[in-house]
């Protein structure tokens, strides 16, 4: 988890569905969902449409159920729409499409889904959950998650590899939070003490996200220094070559 995977024909951060399903489960569900993906293609449905519907379902599950404390059912709804991440990629492969736009759309809507999930936690703890500390922790989880993703994207945009596997990347943040939320929701069915799993999970995600952010910033700083040192060395070598060429030209003229 946390490693780049192929999404819509391009390397991308793991989507919500890929984060929640291990490689063996993905292989099974890919086989199961292939006929459904083919059916959607025949009906003229595009992979982008499936991506949009899946994100809308995740947002609805998070912002309708979580703010009122219905963590079990909210997680069930989110999990159902997780499969759209597998369907749209399956459709793209069947269509033979490798789209930069598709990869961009996936990554952008992933941020929307993340914001909705942690936004749901924020609304609960600011309202019926009545816990300002956990509300603040949830806000930190939301903000740090966005910044962690931004650091990698920004580092790569300036030509750096950002070669680091952070302690808690997007896949880990989502799996920890959603599994904990779903289990915490069992408290409504009479399971005692299990509601404390979500607060513990949020603290773990918050601390892990902070560590990951520091790891990425340190990595970008190191890679930037190495790139600049290599460039300075190349410039020095080029300057020396120019001087030697000029010297040889003067000797030839005499």
């Amino acid at each position: 988890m946390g490693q780049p995977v192929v999404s819509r024909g391009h390397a991308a951060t793991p989507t919500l569905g890929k984060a929640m399903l291990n490689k063996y489960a993905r292989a099974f569900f890919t086989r199961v969902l292939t006929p459904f993906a083919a059916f959607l293609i025949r009906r003229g449905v595009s992979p982008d449409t499936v991506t949009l519907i899946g994100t809308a379902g995740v947002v609805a599950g998070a912002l309708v159920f979580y703010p009122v404390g219905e963590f079990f059912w909210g997680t069930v709804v989110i999990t159902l729409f997780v499969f759209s991440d597998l369907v749209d990629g399956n459709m793209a492969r069947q269509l033979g499409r490798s789209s930069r736009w598709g990869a961009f759309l996936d990554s952008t809507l992933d941020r929307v889904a993340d914001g909705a999930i942690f936004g749901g936690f924020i609304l609960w703890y600011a309202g019926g959950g009545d816990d300002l500390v956990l509300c603040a922790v949830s806000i930190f989880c939301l903000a740090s998650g966005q910044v962690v993703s931004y650091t990698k994207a920004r580092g790569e945009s300036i030509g750096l590899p950002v070669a680091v596997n952070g302690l808690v990347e997007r896949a880990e943040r989502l799996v920890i939070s959603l599994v904990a939320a779903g289990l915490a929701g069992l408290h409504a069915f009479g399971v005692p003490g299990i509601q404390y799993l979500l607060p513990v999970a949020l603290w773990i995600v918050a601390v892990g996200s902070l560590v990951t952010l520091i790891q990425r910033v340190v990595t970008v700083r190191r890679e930037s220094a190495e790139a600049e040192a290599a460039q300075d060395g190349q410039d020095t070598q080029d300057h020396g070559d120019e001087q030697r060429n000029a010297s040889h030209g003067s000797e030839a003229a005499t």
Side-chain angles (χ1 to χ4, degrees), residues 65-90:
F65 292 95
Y66 283 178
V68 295
E70 292 287 350
F71 295 117
F72 177 78
W73 293 114
T75 303
V76 168
V77 171
I78 290 171
T79 302
L80 290 175
F81 281 96
V82 155
F83 291 102
S84 68
D85 282 339
L86 302 179
V87 174
D88 62 6
N90 192 308

Side-chain angles (χ1 to χ4, degrees), residues 27-167:
F28 170 76
F29 282 110
T30 296
R31 289 194 298 271
V32 170
L33 294 172
T34 293
F36 179 62
F39 168 77
L40 292 177
I41 291 172
R42 291 194 300 271
R43 301 296 295 178
V45 179
S46 71
D48 290 348
T49 300
V50 174
T51 303
L52 289 166
I53 292 174
T55 302
V58 171
V59 170
L63 296 183
V64 171
F65 292 95
Y66 283 178
V68 295
E70 292 287 350
F71 295 117
F72 177 78
W73 293 114
T75 303
V76 168
V77 171
I78 290 171
T79 302
L80 290 175
F81 281 96
V82 155
F83 291 102
S84 68
D85 282 339
L86 302 179
V87 174
D88 62 6
N90 192 308
M91 293 171 68
R93 285 191 294 273
Q94 290 190 45
L95 291 168
R97 293 179 181 174
S98 179
S99 167
R100 289 185 176 86
W101 161 251
F104 170 81
L105 183 64
D106 280 343
S107 296
T108 300
L109 294 183
D110 283 346
R111 305 288 84 75
V112 174
D114 292 359
I117 290 168
F118 288 102
F121 296 147
I122 292 168
L123 291 173
W124 165 247
Y125 287 117
D130 193 23
D131 193 321
L132 292 182
V133 172
L134 287 175
C135 178
V137 172
S138 299
I139 292 172
F140 182 82
C141 289
L142 190 158
S144 61
Q146 302 292 332
V147 175
V148 164
S149 296
Y150 174 79
T151 54
K152 186 172 182 65
R154 182 60 178 139
E156 291 175 342
S157 75
I158 58 176
L160 300 175
V162 196
V164 59
N165 292 323
L167 178 65

